[in-house]
Amino acid sequence: MSTAVLTLIRKPGCHLCDTAREVIDAVVLELASNGSAPAIHVDELSILDDPDLLARYEDEVPVLLLNGRVHNIWRVDPDRLRAAILEA
């Protein structure tokens, strides 16, 4: 079975980042009960801890990567995320 790796790039105090994390958590919880869904691993990175991430995404957080590729910027759509994970 494959693994979907979600990476949320965020910064402290960002309300959009908090909302994105809530959407991610809800989708992951829902898919965890789906036997056909891939394993899902979620990481969080702060742009304040990595100068390269800060330079690249300073005005775009939150950024959600799926398997290392940009999936969403600013807002995470749960239906789109669910579909993308199931296709991973």
Side-chain angles (χ1 to χ4, degrees), residues 23-41:
V23 171
I24 292 165
D25 288 346
V27 170
V28 168
L29 183 61
E30 174 191 334
L31 290 177
S33 63
N34 182 343
S36 63
I40 303 168
H41 178 78

Side-chain angles (χ1 to χ4, degrees), residues 3-17:
T3 299
V5 178
L6 300 173
T7 305
L8 179 61
I9 301 171
R10 60 178 298 151
K11 67 180 174 184
C14 168
H15 73 281
L16 290 177
C17 300

Side-chain angles (χ1 to χ4, degrees), residues 3-81:
T3 299
V5 178
L6 300 173
T7 305
L8 179 61
I9 301 171
R10 60 178 298 151
K11 67 180 174 184
C14 168
H15 73 281
L16 290 177
C17 300
D18 295 339
T19 301
R21 183 58 201 228
E22 290 170 7
V23 171
I24 292 165
D25 288 346
V27 170
V28 168
L29 183 61
E30 174 191 334
L31 290 177
S33 63
N34 182 343
S36 63
I40 303 168
H41 178 78
V42 181
D43 285 322
E44 281 191 29
L45 302 174
S46 171
I47 64 168
L48 301 182
D49 295 335
D50 185 323
D52 292 333
L53 289 178
L54 179 61
R56 187 167 186 182
Y57 298 119
E58 181 175 14
D59 296 325
E60 298 178 334
V61 292
V63 176
L64 178 62
L65 308 179
L66 173 58
N67 295 333
R69 301 178 86 179
V70 174
H71 175 73
N72 278 102
I73 295 173
W74 296 308
R75 301 206 187 275
V76 178
D77 178 270
D79 295 329
R80 184 170 179 264
L81 178 58

